[in-house]
Amino acid sequence: MILPALFFYLFAGVCVASAVMVIVSRNPVHSVLFLILAFVNAAGLFVLMGAEFLAMILVVVYVGAVAVLFLFVIMMLDVDFAELREGFLEYLPIGLVIGAVFLAELLLVGGGWVINAGTAKSITAAIPNNVSNTEALGLVLYTRYIHYFQIAGMVLLVAMIGAIVLTLRHKVNVKRQDINVQNARTPELAMSVRKVASGQGLQDVDAAEWVQ
Amino acid sequence: MSFESAGYQLLPVLPELVLALGAMVLLMIGAYRGAHSTALVTGLAIGLLVLTGLLELALPAGKAITFGGSFILDDFARFLKILALIGSVATLVLSAEYLADSSRRIFEYSILVLLSTLGMMVLISAGDLIMLYLGLELMSLALYVVAASNRDNVKSTEAGLKYFVLGALSSGMLLYGASLVYGFTGTVSFAGVAAAVKTGSIGIVFGLVFLLAGLCFKISAVPFHMWTPDVYEGAPTPVTAFFASAPKVAALAVFTRVALTAFPGIVPQWQQIVVFVAIASMALGSFAAIGQRNIKRLMAYSSIGHMGFALVGLAAGTTEGAQGVLVYIAIYVAMTLGSFAVILTIKRNGQQFENISDFAGLSRTNPLLAFFFAMLLFSLAGVPPLAGFFAKFYVFVAAIKAGLFTLSVVGVLTSVVGAYYYLVIVKVMYFDEPLPKLDPVRVELRTVLGIAGLFNIFFFAYPGPLVSMASAAAKSLF
């Protein structure tokens, strides 16, 4: 019993500490790296609760895609974060108010959990005992919920077509690799042997001929 | 476990399957044959939509439920799907000229319209909240892209971006409402929600408000209408015609289905929301349109107002009210498509004009066109004996029978205000100094305008079929 508790405090402690660092660190790249650390620790917490699927998704989607995207955006956009931070103290009161509201909500949720622990169970389906939750999801996703899965696939298809329609431009004057032309080249086409008279060079050769 | 035995019959979704597979085949044709296949893909897409509609009609009558209750095919769904398909076909027909322009020969346009239509059909048949959301996203995502499809034009890009950002916000609200409803009832299916909701607890009402807010955005009802004028003005005109017709049908359909089948236990609670939204939409649609100079912006406010009128029928919460909504939306689609066909004809020397002043003297240069447009405008204003009058008649009768007198009086008053700005256009066409003659009107515009215009003028002579179909469709909800 002591080991899970130790791991819980390890993950939770690192998670909260890195979340704090996300906000206070001066360098935005450091912020994103701390954000990744927070995500990984949250994934650890999920594993402790037996939700290994959520843990994997968190690592794959948030760490693998979203955080890396953040990193790219921060590196590419020239945002002056020092300037953004100038009003930090000015906004502190309203930030504290919002923080207090969140804290109160959390306490209410926690309180409800303690007072009536059965509420959550009464309106959710029972958790199957002998299958892991990845397997449980897999069992219904492609059978009972096949129609949702397919329509979600169509939505993604639309997203893909949309991205292509809105961004792809066929430019005319761009050099593209044409493998057939490359293969059809013979030594006769590609090179010519000349006798070069000393001190005169190859003045008669058109430069374009060499580019081909 | 076989599919059929588990309540997963595929027959009721046959039209959707055909449409989805057909869209993917057309995508491949377009991708392999390149930009010069645009006309071919558009033609095939129109054929595919017609085929889907015929399959929809050929399916056995009556109610069929499949996919464990998340897909419902009843007379209501059938009526509205046919209507949405008509809207999509007309859009593709109206888009022919837009797509023929060499600078934007994008075959994906038709594919996106097809996939958006697929989303609408899913949305109309949705039997639970997840299906509703998936259908809504499939429909909207394709719409955001077609709004920005004229990507070299700043206004079109702006329209797409605006629609996308606000659409994402409304999806968020809808999902929040759906999660509250799920949290308080423990189920996502409409039938399950209806069985669980007998009294309006505060949590359920919260969920209901957010759910309806998300849907109000899609039908552009006040106070979620802000995107409409800008998007309508910025998007290419055939796309605007699409926005004003088929997606409105689907969104209004799901609005009606959610209100009447998922929350029949708390009618007073949603009724007051619908009454407020209807009054606000009718009032804003009438007053804000008066100052408009751009015909597309005017049509945007007009559509806001018309959605308000359609919601009057829903507010009644009766079979008659639902029938009124269905008749209204059918006639609205015809009037809108006809009007946009006229707007597309206003071209001089190959350049499209969009201001109301560009219609000046149309009665002397193109008398037939002017006559049809005038009739459509009178119909939009609700002048008897044109179709638009009957549309309003059915919803107001239902509202009065349900005892909603204030709503009916406000509706009639705002429709009088609305008549003013429609009549201003008629005045510009008939009494102002004529501008140079228009370019020859393309045959597909004539076809759409002819069908919509004749339906509009002669509806009073033979209203039976539409009204009885709407009545059967409305009954299938109760």
Side-chain angles (χ1 to χ4, degrees), chain B residues 64-149:
Chain B
I65 296 176
T66 183
F67 292 138
S70 55
F71 190 95
I72 303 169
L73 179 69
D74 48 11
D75 287 339
F76 178 78
R78 217 169 268 137
F79 181 91
L80 288 158
K81 277 183 192 177
I82 296 295
L83 207 55
L85 286 168
I86 291 173
S88 301
V89 169
T91 305
L92 284 181
V93 172
L94 292 179
S95 307
E97 189 175 11
Y98 171 67
L99 291 174
D101 190 322
S102 59
S103 66
R104 35 167 197 253
R105 249 191 252 154
I106 34 174
F107 73 88
E108 290 97 338
Y109 178 91
S110 323
I111 313 279
L112 287 168
V113 170
L114 286 182
L115 290 172
S116 181
T117 313
L118 176 67
M120 289 168 210
M121 294 176 70
V122 169
L123 189 57
I124 291 168
S125 273
D128 64 24
L129 293 170
I130 301 179
M131 208 67 166
L132 185 160
Y133 178 67
L134 287 170
L136 199 71
E137 278 307 294
L138 183 54
M139 172 181 99
S140 316
L141 203 57
L143 294 183
Y144 306 146
V145 181
V146 288
S149 66

Side-chain angles (χ1 to χ4, degrees), chain B residues 195-207:
Chain B
V197 178
K198 294 289 175 228
T199 54
S201 75
I202 189 87
I204 281 291
V205 173
F206 247 88

Side-chain angles (χ1 to χ4, degrees), chain A residues 123-124 142-149 151-152 154-155 157-159 161-170, chain B residues 1 3 8 20 24 27 67 70 108 111-112 115 118 122 128 130-131 134 138 141-142 145 148 151-152 183 186:
Chain A
I123 55 166
T124 50
Y142 305 113
T143 53
R144 208 177 139 191
Y145 297 130
I146 179 72
H147 48 297
Y148 298 149
F149 188 71
I151 298 172
M154 297 306 286
V155 174
L157 177 68
V158 170
I161 300 173
I164 293 173
V165 169
L166 295 181
T167 57
L168 182 69
R169 277 168 200 272
H170 288 290
Chain B
M1 185 178 81
F3 250 49
Y8 281 65
M24 286 188 269
L27 185 63
F67 292 138
S70 55
E108 290 97 338
I111 313 279
L112 287 168
L115 290 172
L118 176 67
V122 169
D128 64 24
I130 301 179
M131 208 67 166
L134 287 170
L138 183 54
L141 203 57
V145 181
R151 59 186 185 179
D152 295 325

